[in-house]
């Protein structure tokens, strides 16, 4: 990595949105053959800086040089022509089209009779192969894929055209360790071919594993640019949050295990299952307990959560709540029984883009009351104030349309929406997706506190470490079935869970690839 | 996620079919439209007779060529998630203006060209309003509808007859392709051929060009399409221009067949064209549908009119009720398909 000339050089970039100065004289340099990570808390301005570079947002001040020449790009299409491929933070694909089309849109192979679909699908297959998605059928509808795989498809899309600069805004937020490794292999090989890569992630392990250089932003200001090896984690964190790292101690501290009462479980399912989603499973949820769901991508975590919440109807099994038989066949029934579910799919099932932060926050509470009885404004304000400050939503302006918030802050509002229903059982599917480490520690503490107060939590995350930290009991899933149930405690670690998953089904040679195959069939 | 399965065997028989169907769920409403069309023909033949005949089917095409052209244009717009309410009024203005100019001594073919371009201009105006002034498509094209109808009424409020010897009438002249027994012939008009060419060209554009795929992508998610680097603004302009131009072309075809033009021509045709598009399986929210479906949709509407006339017992006023009923069934069908797709 010689100190060659930067291929992209942004200097003194400022962008203001009504009421916020999102970027204030920020600079960024990208070098060929280097992975450069952009670090900063939620709302620090990372995505805005990326959109400034590709021309999605117009810059108020500053200069962008590409290969030494001052340039202003006018949007993704322009950026692509200049050799810059971008994967934005939210999965931006068209779910009405096929996988192959999404990968190839705008790059379809054309012949004498217009688009040659056979060649286009073949090219799509080859591109998917690079990210280890060769098992996907390009002709399948995109909507049939789980969110994490869609994220991989979006990344594949950025690799269709030869590019000199590749920008990945939180590409790993819903991937598990295997997928991340696969992605990193591709990133490294592109880097070795001389591509400049801009990477954003809130996972420090990933940042240190992949990046050569870091730029830190804080509150829309440039904090500094560093070689990764010059800056250790503690220093990095304090640069990001602008104060000492002590606040984050709780991230690593393993909270004292809560003692489960011997009382009957609050929720108990016997043999619930749904064909094609999850095999028959038993699961109990007690008051004051956090149950974690661990498993690889496609192991059936979300599917199980949806069954419990009634978003999908179970084919088999029965559910008892407080020793009474319960029919939970729709989200409305679940809500009536005080079960809340915060979905992983923020964009399609979660936030309502044009409503304000306040309206998004009170949505579930209002839904439970029924639309005929609007929540008095005073109560709305109380709820909003409570959760905006508890979760640290920034900017703390309840009347701002939620689409104007940064990705991580949208996620906080979504989490707040379900907390506000004050449920007995709270199902959290990837609740900290895209949330910065400071806020993550706060949220973890908050959830733990709720459990201490008697809430029952079902916690799902593709980050196994997080599941281990948060849970009193861990249900391990693989291939759509439960393979183990572990009491949290000193003996359980992310590693031991990975081992449980790896050892399961040894001797059955096809089992190893089963997870991947299932996603396709 | 409903396609996740736990078995690793190759799909066979029914499962393979189910899989194929789930791959092509979008085609279901269109397939249903074809089924209804065939069902109507069979029923008509059984109940009234003389439906499966060359001349009846030829007339169906001849009488609905303009509607087919309109439905094709609307398919483009609706696929992007937009709507064009101005097409009926554009026909009125374009045809009245065209006939008056011909009668005033203009070169008829020049007037025909102008008729088409009037449509283009209206489409471009809608496109600019939608794309650059961010007016809702419904409102923008509603404004164009009032404008078109108003202009047509300013020009004339009485039927303007096309001269009997006008060469433009040749576009509506019947050409006997196959001479069957008695009057049972296969006949076409240049208007029908124009409609066929429009359909084929539209199919090509939508399925074989990047612009066509962008139309679908915009309907799926406009924001995603823009962030993918697709030319969203230009494509949205184009769909309104296409819809407008095809309305102008439909005006030519209709006027040539009828031989006269009037300011009240085409009232409610935008709704017929939208109905044809929806019956043909295009989702009003955009992103899914087929231009061939819209053709079938137009023919379903045309055939319905034929059957009602044949029956004699059904009051013509009931036509709209039946149209509404069919439409409702299709919209419900689409909702079911959408719900499945979301799973
Ligand atoms: N279109 C917009 N209009 C108004 N404000 C915006 C807009 N986009 C972003 N902002 C604001 O600009 C700031 C920076 O947002 P940005 O999305 O760049 O943060 P980020 O660093 O990417 O955060 P995250 O880690 O949560 O993704 C935030 O305060 C956000 O609310
Ligand atoms: Mg961001």
């Amino acid at each position: 990595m010689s100190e060659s000339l930067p291929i992209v050089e942004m200097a003194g970039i400022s962008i203001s949105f009504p009421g916020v100065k999102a970027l204030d004289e920020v600079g960024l340099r990208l070098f060929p053959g280097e992975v450069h990570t952009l670090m900063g808390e939620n709302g620090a301005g990372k995505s805005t800086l990326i959109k400034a570079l590709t021309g999605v947002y117009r810059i108020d001040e500053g200069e962008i040089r590409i290969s030494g020449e001052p340039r202003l790009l006018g949007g993704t299409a322009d950026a692509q022509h200049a050799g810059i491929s971008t994967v934005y933070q939210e999965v931006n694909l068209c779910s009405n089209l096929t996988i192959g089309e999404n990968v190839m849109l705008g790059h379809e192979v054309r012949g004498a009779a217009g688009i040659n679909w056979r060649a286009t699908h073949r090219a799509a297959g080859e591109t998917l192969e690079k990210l280890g998605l060769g098992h996907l059928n390009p002709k399948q509808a995109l909507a049939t894929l789980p969110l994490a795989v869609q994220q991989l498809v979006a990344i594949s899309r950025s690799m269709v055209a030869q590019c000199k600069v590749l920008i990945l805004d939180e590409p790993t937020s819903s991937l598990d360790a295997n997928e991340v490794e696969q992605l990193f292999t591709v990133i490294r090989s592109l880097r070795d071919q001389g591509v400049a890569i801009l990477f954003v992630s809130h996972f420090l392990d990933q940042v240190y594993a992949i990046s050569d250089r870091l730029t830190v932003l804080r509150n829309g200001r440039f904090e500094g640019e560093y070689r990764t090896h010059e800056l250790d984690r503690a220093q990095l964190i304090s640069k990001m949050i602008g104060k000492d790292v002590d606040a984050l101690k709780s991230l690593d501290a393993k909270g004292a295990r809560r003692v489960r009462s011997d009382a009957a479980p609050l929720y108990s399912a016997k043999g619930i299952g749904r064909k094609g989603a999850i095999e028959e499973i038993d699961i109990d949820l007690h008051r004051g307990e956090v149950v974690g769901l661990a498993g690889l991508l496609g192991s059936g975590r979300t599917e199980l959560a949806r069954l419990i919440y009634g978003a999908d109807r179970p084919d088999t099994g029965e559910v008892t709540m407080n020793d009474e038989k319960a029919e939970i066949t729709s989200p409305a029934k679940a809500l009536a029984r005080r079960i809340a579910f915060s979905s992983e799919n923020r964009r399609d099932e979660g936030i309502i883009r044009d409503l304000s932060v306040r309206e998004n926050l009170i949505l579930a509470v209002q839904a439970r009351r029924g639309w005929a009885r609007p929540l008095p404004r005073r109560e709305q304000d109380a709820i909003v104030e409570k959760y905006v400050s508890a979760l640290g939503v920034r900017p703390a302006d309840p009347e701002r349309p939620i689409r104007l918030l940064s990705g991580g802050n949208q996620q906080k509002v979504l989490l707040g929406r379900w907390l506000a229903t004050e449920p007995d059982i709270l199902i959290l599917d990837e609740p900290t997706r895209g949330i910065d480490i400071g806020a993550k520690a706060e949220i973890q503490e908050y959830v733990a506190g709720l459990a201490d107060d008697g809430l029952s939590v079902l916690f799902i995350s593709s980050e196994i470490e997080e599941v281990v930290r948060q849970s009193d009991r861990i249900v391990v899933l693989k291939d759509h079935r439960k393979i183990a149930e572990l009491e949290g405690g000193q003996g359980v670690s992310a590693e031991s869970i990975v081992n449980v998953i790896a050892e399961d089904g040894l001797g059955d040679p096809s089992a190893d690839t089963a997870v991947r195959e299932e996603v396709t069939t | 996620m409903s396609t996740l399965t736990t078995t690793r065997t190759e799909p066979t028989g029914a499962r393979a079919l189910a899989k194929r169907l789930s791959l092509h769920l979008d085609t279901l409403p269109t397939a249903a439209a074809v089924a209804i069309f065939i069902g109507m023909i069979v029923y008509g033949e059984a109940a009234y007779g003389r439906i499966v005949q060359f001349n009846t089917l030829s007339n169906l095409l001849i009488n609905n060529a303009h509607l087919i052209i309109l439905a094709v244009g609307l398919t483009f717009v609706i696929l992007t998630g937009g709507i064009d309410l101005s097409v009926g009024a554009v026909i009125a203005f374009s045809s009245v203006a065209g006939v008056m100019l011909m009668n005033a001594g203009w070169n008829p073919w020049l007037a025909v060209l102008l008729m088409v371009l009037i449509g283009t201009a209206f489409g471009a105006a809608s496109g600019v309003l939608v794309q650059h002034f961010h007016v809702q498509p419904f409102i923008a094209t509603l404004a164009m509808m009032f404008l078109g109808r108003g202009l047509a009424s300013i020009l004339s409020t009485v039927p303007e007859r096309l001269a009997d010897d006008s060469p433009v009438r040749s576009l509506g002249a019947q050409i006997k392709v196959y001479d069957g027994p008695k009057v049972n012939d296969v006949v076409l008009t240049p208007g029908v051929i124009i409609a066929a060419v429009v359909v084929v060209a539209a199919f090509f554009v939508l399925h074989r060009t990047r612009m066509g795929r962008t139309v679908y992508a915009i309907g799926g998610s406009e924001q995603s399409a823009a962030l993918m680097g697709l030319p969203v603004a230009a494509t949205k302009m184009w769909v309104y221009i296409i819809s407008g131009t095809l309305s102008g072309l439909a005006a030519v075809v209709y006027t040539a067949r009828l031989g006269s033009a009037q300011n009240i021509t085409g009232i409610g045709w935008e709704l017929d064209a939208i109905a044809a598009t929806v019956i043909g399986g295009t989702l009003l929210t955009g992103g899914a549908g087929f231009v061939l479906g819209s053709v079938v949709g137009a023919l379903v509407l045309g055939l319905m009119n034929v059957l009602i006339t044949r029956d004699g017992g059904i009051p013509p006023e009931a036509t709209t009720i039946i149209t509404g009923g069919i439409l409702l069934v299709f919209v419900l069908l689409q909702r079911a398909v959408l719900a499945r797709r979301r799973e």
Side-chain angles (χ1 to χ4, degrees), chain A residues 56 76-77 80 88 92-94 96-97 101-102 105-108 110 113-115 117 139-140 143-144 146 157 274 276 279 303 347 353 480 510 514 517-519 521, chain B residues 1-9 19 22-23 26 204 207-210 213-214 216-221 223-230 286-288 341-343:
Chain A
V56 175
T76 312
Q80 269 167 9
Y88 296 96
N92 279 293
L93 296 172
C94 293
N96 59 327
L97 302 176
E101 269 201 82
N102 269 291
L105 264 175
H107 305 280
E108 294 93 342
R110 287 181 292 191
I115 295 172
W117 283 111
K139 292 183 189 157
Q140 195 182 325
T144 58
R157 173 178 166 78
R274 180 181 159 93
E279 283 175 35
E303 288 81 349
R347 203 181 97 173
R353 290 171 49 79
H480 310 272
S510 67
E517 279 174 26
E518 269 147 29
V519 176
T521 44
Chain B
M1 283 179 215
S2 59
T3 51
L4 292 185
T5 53
T6 41
T7 39
R8 271 154 237 149
T9 44
K19 192 176 162 191
S22 76
L23 276 182
D26 289 349
F204 180 83
H207 294 278
R208 292 265 167 172
T209 66
R210 287 185 183 169
R213 300 326 290 170
T214 305
Y216 280 87
I218 292 173
S221 162
Q223 191 202 2
S224 294
L227 288 181
M228 281 183 179
L230 300 174
R341 199 166 61 175
R342 205 166 284 140
E343 255 185 32

Side-chain angles (χ1 to χ4, degrees), chain B residues 19 31 37 103 116 121 156 171 180 210 271 288 294:
Chain B
K19 192 176 162 191
F37 182 61
N103 291 345
V116 176
S156 158
L171 290 178
R210 287 185 183 169
L271 301 181
S294 306

Side-chain angles (χ1 to χ4, degrees), chain B:
Chain B
M1 283 179 215
S2 59
T3 51
L4 292 185
T5 53
T6 41
T7 39
R8 271 154 237 149
T9 44
E10 276 295 300
T12 49
R15 292 199 53 192
L17 185 69
K19 192 176 162 191
R20 284 193 74 91
L21 270 181
S22 76
L23 276 182
H24 300 283
L25 213 52
D26 289 349
T27 54
L28 193 61
T30 306
V34 173
I36 287 212
F37 182 61
I38 294 174
M40 282 168 76
I41 289 186
V42 171
Y43 171 79
E45 181 66 31
Y48 315 115
R50 293 187 293 107
I51 297 288
V52 190
Q53 293 209 88
F54 290 136
N55 59 348
T56 310
L57 297 179
S58 298
N59 279 328
L60 188 62
L61 284 175
I62 292 171
N63 294 336
N64 292 291
H66 64 282
L67 183 59
I68 291 176
I69 296 174
L70 285 184
V72 168
L74 265 160
T75 307
F76 276 85
V77 178
I78 293 178
L79 277 175
T80 64
I83 196 87
D84 188 350
L85 297 178
S86 68
V87 295
V90 169
I91 288 190
F93 177 52
S94 164
S95 50
V96 171
V99 172
M100 286 178 77
L101 286 173
M102 287 178 218
N103 291 345
W106 268 47
N107 177 323
W109 297 114
L110 200 61
V112 162
L113 182 67
L114 187 80
M115 287 170 77
V116 176
L117 290 181
I118 286 176
T120 310
F122 269 81
S126 301
V128 168
L129 284 177
V130 170
Q131 191 50 41
H132 298 288
F133 293 93
H134 304 286
V135 181
Q136 292 286 328
F138 189 96
I139 303 297
T141 58
L142 189 68
M144 286 298 133
M145 170 174 138
F146 284 122
L147 179 66
R149 191 66 67 190
L151 287 175
S153 305
I154 288 175
L155 288 182
S156 158
T157 49
V158 293
E160 296 290 327
R161 255 185 74 78
L162 199 57
D164 285 334
D165 58 350
S166 168
V168 173
R169 281 182 182 262
S170 67
L171 290 178
Q174 306 209 342
I175 308 163
K176 210 173 278 179
V177 180
Y178 168 79
D179 200 353
K182 294 196 195 147
V183 290
N184 189 13
D185 311 323
V186 178
V187 278
L188 289 179
T189 59
V192 172
I193 297 169
I194 291 175
V197 170
V198 164
V199 170
V200 171
F203 183 86
F204 180 83
V205 169
L206 283 175
H207 294 278
R208 292 265 167 172
T209 66
R210 287 185 183 169
M211 184 204 144
R213 300 326 290 170
T214 305
V215 168
Y216 280 87
I218 292 173
S221 162
E222 187 171 336
Q223 191 202 2
S224 294
L227 288 181
M228 281 183 179
L230 300 174
V232 171
T235 306
K236 276 176 71 185
M237 273 301 291
W238 272 115
V239 295
Y240 288 97
I241 290 178
I242 288 173
S243 169
T245 307
L246 290 182
S247 323
L249 194 60
V252 173
V253 168
Y254 184 74
T255 310
R257 175 163 71 80
L258 203 70
S260 75
Q262 201 178 350
N263 64 330
I264 52 169
T265 305
I267 289 180
W269 285 7
E270 59 282 339
L271 301 181
D272 287 344
I274 293 169
T277 310
V278 171
I279 290 174
T282 301
L283 287 185
L284 265 181
T285 46
F290 303 95
V291 69
L292 294 179
S294 306
V295 175
V296 176
L299 293 178
V300 165
L301 292 182
L303 185 59
M304 201 178 67
N305 281 323
V306 171
L307 295 186
I308 286 171
T309 321
R310 284 285 177 83
D311 186 272
I314 306 173
E317 301 79 52
T319 318
T320 49
I321 299 179
I322 299 175
T323 314
I326 296 187
L327 205 60
L328 198 65
V329 169
F330 276 87
V331 171
L332 291 176
L333 190 67
Q334 290 179 355
R335 288 209 71 95
V337 169
L338 262 189
R340 290 251 349 228
R341 199 166 61 175
R342 205 166 284 140
E343 255 185 32

Side-chain angles (χ1 to χ4, degrees), chain A residues 46-47 89 169-170 406-407:
Chain A
K46 303 176 296 294
S47 301
Q89 183 168 6
D169 193 354
E170 298 200 32
S406 79

